[in-house]
């Protein structure tokens, strides 16, 4: 039985990874901050509350674990310092602890497609290509990857998920709310394509890397094998929800006032707004497509997506939980 420790176990990806790993027979220690909302975790599961910066406390939790999955991160922040501290410095801190604990044999890092940046054309970006992140988030994830590759003294694995959706996700929820209201927005007038992955596919791929020599010291994109235009995504979402929308195209220059308002709103609150200048930098770029051929070849991961059905399942979960 593999003993797996997962940081950020209370979040969207973390909670689903806890559930899947338990189903696969792993002994799972879910690490969360003391103030974490635990509502997404199984009702009968007890998470371990830690101060990630307390080295001795973290060591005591990890002392007999086999694998650590470092999933904790911030996707939104008010400034570069927040991203650097929470995504780069924390990763480096945990790598040092990982190196010191004899039982730990693999450091699995949940990075992001944002670390690699957009691709040219529609062939899909591959792991060996130059990384050109366009946002603070993407840059912080890339620097965290470099910390791992430069400082890990044992086996590591880096996974770069494309945009992830499914039960428990709060970001894609905003699209569902718009479609329910009968409106959908498309930024700009040129075609843009994206890679997507349902949470069930992502956690399966992560699990495939556990104690797998084919995954040691490797980077993998995580996505379904297809990619979609924003028009494709909206059509699938309309079908999943049984709605028709008025599609409104917004020129790129008009998105900036919304982003600026998001910056002001974020400055007055504890959390950065969903639409801010950093997010607009990502949205206005070209194609966010990744090639998953490496994962298919090395891990046997070949995910054919039924986007409409996966969106329908997500929609049903939102309604059951009272999110919609």
């Amino acid at each position: 039985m593999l003993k797996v420790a997962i940081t950020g176990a209370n979040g969207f990806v973390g909670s689903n990874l806890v559930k899947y790993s338990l189903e696969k027979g792993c002994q799972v220690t879910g690490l969360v901050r003391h103030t974490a909302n635990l509502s997404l975790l199984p009702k009968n599961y007890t998470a371990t509350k830690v101060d990630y910066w307390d080295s001795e406390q973290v060591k005591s939790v990890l002392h007999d674990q086999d694998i650590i999955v470092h999933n904790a991160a911030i996707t939104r922040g008010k400034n570069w310092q927040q991203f650097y501290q929470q995504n780069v410095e924390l990763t480096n801190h945990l790598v040092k602890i990982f190196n010191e604990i004899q039982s730990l044999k693999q450091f699995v890092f949940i990075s992001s497609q944002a670390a690699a940046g957009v691709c040219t054309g529609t062939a899909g970006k591959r792991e060996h290509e130059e990384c050109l992140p366009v946002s603070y988030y993407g840059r912080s994830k890339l620097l965290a990857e470099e910390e791992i590759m430069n400082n890990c003294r044992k086996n590591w694995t880096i996974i770069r998920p494309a945009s992830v959706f499914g039960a428990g996700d709060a970001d894609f929820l905003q699209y569902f709310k718009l479609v329910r209201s009968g409106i959908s927005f498309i930024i700009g007038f040129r075609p843009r394509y994206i890679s997507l992955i349902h949470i069930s596919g992502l956690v399966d791929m992560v699990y495939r890397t556990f104690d797998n020599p084919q995954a040691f010291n490797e980077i993998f994109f995580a996505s379904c094998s297809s990619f979609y235009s924003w028009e494709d995504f909206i059509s699938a979402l309309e079908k999943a929800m049984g709605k028709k929308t008025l599609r409104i195209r917004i020129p790129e220059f008009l998105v900036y006032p919304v982003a600026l308002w998001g910056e002001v709103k974020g400055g007055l609150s504890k959390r950065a707004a969903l639409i801010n200048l950093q997010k607009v930098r990502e949205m206005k770029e070209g194609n966010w497509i990744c090639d998953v051929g490496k994962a298919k070849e090395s891990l046997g991961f070949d995910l054919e997506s039924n986007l409409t059905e996966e969106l329908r399942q997500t929609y049903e979960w939102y309604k059951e939980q009272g999110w919609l």
Side-chain angles (χ1 to χ4, degrees):
M1 179 186 294
L2 280 176
K3 295 181 179 180
V4 180
I6 302 171
T7 68
N10 61 301
F12 166 47
V13 173
S15 61
N16 279 280
L17 186 55
V18 166
K19 295 171 190 175
Y20 192 76
S21 299
L22 288 170
E23 291 170 3
K24 290 294 186 178
C26 297
Q27 181 177 316
V28 182
T29 299
L31 280 65
V32 300
R33 292 182 172 88
H34 289 278
T35 57
N37 181 342
L38 307 180
S39 61
L40 293 179
L41 285 166
K43 299 301 181 185
N44 59 346
Y45 180 78
T46 302
T48 302
K49 295 184 178 182
V50 297
D51 175 356
Y52 289 122
W53 299 103
D54 186 334
S55 298
E56 295 307 313
Q57 184 184 30
V58 174
K59 287 177 186 178
S60 69
V61 174
L62 299 179
H63 78 280
D64 63 345
Q65 301 293 301
D66 299 312
I67 297 169
I68 179 171
V69 181
H70 181 32
N71 168 70
I74 61 168
T75 58
R76 286 182 254 166
K78 294 184 179 182
N79 51 53
W80 168 243
Q81 288 71 26
Q82 287 186 351
F83 282 104
Y84 188 81
Q85 181 186 48
Q86 297 300 322
N87 294 353
V88 184
E89 290 184 344
L90 181 56
T91 300
N92 187 43
H93 174 69
L94 292 177
V95 165
K96 290 177 180 177
I97 294 174
F98 168 77
N99 287 338
E100 294 178 16
I101 297 177
Q102 187 173 359
S103 68
L104 285 171
K105 52 191 173 184
Q106 185 182 12
F107 191 104
V108 179
F109 180 57
I110 308 301
S111 184
S112 171
Q113 183 187 13
V118 296
C119 69
T120 57
T122 56
K125 194 153 194 172
R126 305 194 70 177
E127 290 84 352
H128 66 272
E129 294 181 31
E130 182 182 10
C131 294
L132 298 169
V134 298
S135 65
Y136 286 163
Y137 173 64
R139 182 182 168 201
S140 69
K141 282 294 192 178
L142 180 60
L143 288 175
E145 291 183 6
E146 292 172 354
E147 291 286 347
I148 294 165
M149 290 185 283
N150 292 334
N151 298 317
C152 257
R153 297 201 297 264
K154 293 179 283 186
N155 294 316
W156 53 264
T157 303
I158 293 170
I159 299 172
R160 295 173 177 167
S163 295
V164 191
F165 68 98
D169 171 57
D171 288 347
F172 272 92
L173 174 63
Q174 309 310 315
Y175 295 103
F176 285 80
K177 287 182 176 180
L178 281 171
V179 169
R180 185 185 61 172
S181 71
I183 300 173
S184 58
F185 294 108
I186 300 174
I187 307 300
F189 296 91
R190 54 192 171 121
R192 286 186 175 85
Y193 298 92
I194 55 171
S195 290
L196 295 168
I197 186 167
H198 187 262
I199 186 61
S200 61
L202 176 58
V203 296
D204 175 61
M205 180 177 169
V206 174
Y207 175 77
R208 287 169 183 260
T209 70
F210 290 174
D211 199 26
N212 182 351
Q214 295 296 316
F216 292 166
N217 308 320
E218 297 288 352
I219 300 174
F220 298 98
F221 281 117
S223 172
C224 70
S225 55
S226 303
F227 61 86
Y228 305 91
S229 68
W230 277 106
E231 289 83 356
D232 293 334
F233 173 76
I234 292 171
S235 294
L237 188 52
E238 289 175 337
K239 188 174 181 181
M241 297 177 66
K243 300 283 186 178
K244 279 291 183 182
T245 65
L246 173 64
R247 299 189 184 186
I248 302 174
R249 286 194 176 271
I250 304 177
E252 291 179 8
F253 72 89
L254 289 181
V255 180
Y256 282 95
V258 177
L260 285 170
W261 168 242
E263 296 282 342
V264 173
K265 185 178 178 181
L268 299 174
S269 66
K270 293 182 179 180
R271 183 176 176 133
L274 178 62
I275 301 299
N276 52 52
L277 289 174
Q278 292 297 311
K279 182 56 67 174
V280 167
R281 286 182 183 177
E282 292 183 341
M283 292 169 62
K284 76 180 187 65
E285 292 294 330
N287 298 326
W288 287 94
I289 306 172
C290 53
D291 185 303
V292 290
K294 183 176 177 180
K296 180 178 180 179
E297 180 179 349
S298 299
L299 306 176
F301 180 77
D302 187 14
L303 181 63
E304 290 293 339
S305 174
N306 184 334
L307 182 59
T308 300
E309 176 58 22
E310 291 167 348
L311 290 171
R312 187 194 65 77
Q313 293 172 6
T314 305
Y315 178 49
E316 293 300 324
W317 187 90
Y318 286 148
K319 291 194 295 182
E320 289 171 5
Q321 299 299 316
W323 290 24
L324 276 176

